[in-house]
Amino acid sequence: MGKFSRRQVIRTSLAAGAFLTATRCAAPSGTPNNPAPGPQVNTNQTKDVTLRLIGTGVSQINDIRDKAQEDLGFKFDMRALSTEENNQIAITQPGQYDIFDGEYFSLPLVVPSGNLQPIDIKRITNYDQIVSFFRTGEFKGLPVETSQGTAPFKVQYLTGPDSKEFSDTPTDYATLIPFQYNADTLGYRPDLVGRTIESWGELFNEEFRGKTSILDIPQIGIMDAAMVAESLGLMTFADKGNMTRAEIDQIIEILKEQKANGQFRAFWKTFDESVNLMSSGEVVLQSMWSPAVTAVQSQGTECIYAPLKEGYRGWGGGIGLSKNLEGVKLDAAYEYINWMLDGWVGAFLGRQGYYSAAPETARKFMSTAEWDFWYEGKPAAEDMVDPFGKTLAKAGVSRDGGSFDERFGNIVCWNSTMKENTYLVQKWNEFIAS
């Protein structure tokens, strides 16, 4: 890994946090949205602790902070940052945070800094409940190595208690403890498209000229473009998550040609930009994230998260510990990680379409109808609402893409930081400016 620079990490949106924190959860404890109370812990030793968290807006949510403080008895100072800022602080300012909430594809940048201490998995209560593709590198008996990019298992373990080196096999020491993840795809407006979208290749279809968008985050946008190009037979990649310079050059030329032909209406960087483009009808088909689709749906606009025949692009996020944590604050941080896996957070985020790293614990805090809809792919037995009480799906509707097994059994690439990352960003910027 070369010297770190600002151009080596992606930008993501703070708007997710703004959207998620705009309203408070209307459902009180004990309702179908909160069928069980949060976990209780002994706070005698940690009651005076304040833990400083850095992360992106996806999970730095006031409702989660408030619930954690209520259940754990100590305080949290949460900062919602862009992915670039989050990684920069993790790498260069270890004294500014206690807990790092980051994505697995960022770890090849962050871990070599030595600013994250290996996590002792023997102290993680529900570690054995975490889904297998994080713990063992397998899913339904198949190795995740069949997926391209930075599959979380490839950077899940460290070789020892003081190590900055990734282990190819499970050890007692983890980089992050996962808590959420998803399988990304394209979103579209069925009322404006007029038919079912089944292939990534539709993003370049002349039928939608001037009405498509691809996200302007180089490391992710380039992988979405690669999925499109492969589906159309325009080119192939040895590993979409680790392209060669020649592959980068070729896919960028394809993108420049599409742009010159007027295929794209816009390029979005933030969560709210993608929501606005879709809800306004300016764009009818685009790269999209699951909670953005649900945000459009919650406005009363029909929007579909397309299950595409070529498969999904996956990502995962987790919690890491600053090297400076020790004593009572370190104990409190472990309590927080265990609380994150206990189920309440998994259910809260699950109502937006994310998956919990420990699904069976999240199930305790979901109604049967919610579990069947979000995880089993069954038609909703009742209206499905998000954590803030907005209706996302009417009774009788099934989740786009089906069940958890169907989605995660069909991930073909994971978000990744490529070896040629600096060159990629340079060429991507050429495309955007062309």
Side-chain angles (χ1 to χ4, degrees):
M1 180 64 60
K3 183 178 179 181
F4 171 79
S5 71
R6 287 180 63 86
R7 293 164 66 87
Q8 285 179 302
V9 289
I10 72 167
R11 299 180 185 275
T12 192
S13 171
L14 299 182
F19 167 73
L20 298 177
T21 58
T23 56
R24 303 288 296 173
C25 182
S29 178
T31 68
N33 283 343
N34 272 308
Q40 300 297 316
V41 298
N42 186 336
T43 60
N44 291 336
Q45 299 299 316
T46 58
K47 60 184 178 62
D48 297 323
V49 165
T50 297
L51 291 177
R52 300 164 301 165
L53 276 71
I54 59 171
T56 64
V58 167
S59 53
Q60 303 306 298
I61 302 171
N62 289 344
D63 298 78
I64 294 177
R65 177 200 62 199
D66 295 346
K67 184 63 172 173
Q69 290 180 161
E70 175 188 342
D71 289 346
L72 296 171
F74 48 86
K75 295 186 180 300
F76 296 87
D77 177 13
M78 289 182 168
R79 297 171 63 189
L81 307 165
S82 70
T83 297
E84 179 185 43
E85 293 169 321
N86 198 37
N87 289 339
Q88 280 187 315
I89 292 173
I91 293 166
T92 64
Q93 303 175 50
Q96 298 300 309
Y97 65 94
D98 301 310
I99 294 177
F100 168 71
D101 172 0
E103 293 186 49
Y104 276 88
F105 80 92
S106 298
L107 291 181
L109 295 173
V110 177
V111 167
S113 72
N115 290 335
L116 297 181
Q117 61 175 283
I119 297 172
D120 183 356
I121 63 173
K122 295 189 296 296
R123 297 186 64 175
I124 307 304
T125 306
N126 286 314
Y127 193 80
D128 63 344
Q129 296 294 307
I130 294 173
V131 288
S132 59
F133 54 79
F134 288 102
R135 290 185 298 106
T136 65
E138 296 180 341
F139 185 68
K140 297 297 178 182
L142 297 174
V144 295
E145 292 178 357
T146 58
S147 299
Q148 298 176 0
T150 306
F153 177 74
K154 296 178 182 178
V155 292
Q156 173 66 22
Y157 295 100
L158 296 166
T159 56
D162 301 307
S163 175
K164 295 185 290 184
E165 181 182 351
F166 298 119
S167 173
D168 293 332
T169 56
T171 69
D172 287 336
Y173 301 97
T175 53
L176 303 178
I177 298 300
F179 68 95
Q180 66 170 347
Y181 49 96
N182 214 331
D184 283 352
T185 181
L186 299 175
Y188 71 99
R189 287 277 301 270
D191 57 326
L192 301 179
V193 169
R195 58 183 174 81
T196 301
I197 298 297
E198 298 179 332
S199 171
W200 282 91
E202 296 277 19
L203 197 67
F204 289 175
N205 192 327
E206 293 182 1
E207 179 183 347
F208 308 122
R209 179 174 292 172
K211 298 180 180 180
T212 71
S213 177
I214 196 166
L215 73 168
D216 184 11
I217 298 175
Q219 293 84 349
I220 304 177
I222 198 75
M223 294 174 72
D224 283 357
M227 294 289 285
V228 177
E230 280 195 336
S231 73
L232 294 173
L234 301 178
M235 63 179 295
T236 58
F237 301 83
D239 183 348
K240 287 182 286 295
N242 193 25
M243 297 179 192
T244 64
R245 287 198 174 202
E247 289 172 337
I248 293 170
D249 288 343
Q250 188 176 352
I251 188 62
I252 290 296
E253 287 305 311
I254 291 172
L255 284 167
K256 285 181 177 179
E257 181 180 355
Q258 290 293 324
K259 184 180 181 184
N261 290 339
Q263 185 67 22
F264 304 114
R265 170 65 180 86
F267 307 98
W268 62 266
K269 285 180 177 288
T270 68
F271 176 95
D272 63 330
E273 287 174 340
S274 71
V275 172
N276 291 337
L277 286 169
M278 188 65 78
S279 60
S280 68
E282 289 185 65
V283 162
V284 301
L285 174 66
Q286 66 175 354
S287 301
M288 216 161 180
W289 298 333
S290 181
V293 171
T294 58
V296 174
Q297 293 169 342
S298 70
Q299 296 175 10
T301 301
E302 191 176 6
C303 188
I304 291 178
Y305 206 43
L308 304 175
K309 63 184 181 181
E310 296 90 3
Y312 294 90
R313 173 179 50 75
W315 64 271
I319 292 174
L321 303 178
S322 168
K323 70 175 183 181
N324 296 320
L325 272 179
E326 58 183 6
V328 174
K329 289 191 75 173
L330 180 60
D331 292 339
Y334 273 103
E335 287 185 9
Y336 178 66
I337 291 175
N338 284 324
W339 179 84
M340 290 286 284
L341 289 179
D342 188 76
W344 186 90
V345 174
F348 182 95
L349 293 172
R351 296 184 186 103
Q352 293 176 290
Y354 295 114
Y355 291 111
S356 169
E360 289 301 323
T361 68
R363 188 173 189 171
K364 298 183 301 182
F365 294 85
M366 303 176 81
S367 68
T368 299
E370 288 176 324
W371 176 265
D372 286 349
F373 177 79
W374 291 112
Y375 279 87
E376 300 293 340
K378 297 179 181 179
E382 60 194 33
D383 288 357
M384 290 291 108
V385 298
D386 71 8
F388 314 105
K390 292 185 177 181
T391 299
L392 299 180
K394 294 290 187 179
V397 173
S398 296
R399 181 177 187 177
D400 303 329
S403 70
F404 172 82
D405 287 355
E406 289 172 313
R407 282 169 165 253
F408 276 82
N410 199 24
I411 287 180
V412 296
C413 62
W414 292 82
N415 285 359
S416 178
T417 297
M418 303 181 190
K419 291 180 181 178
E420 292 288 355
N421 185 70
T422 302
Y423 185 72
L424 163 63
V425 175
Q426 173 191 335
K427 299 299 290 186
W428 182 269
N429 289 338
E430 288 181 11
F431 153 60
I432 295 297
S434 66

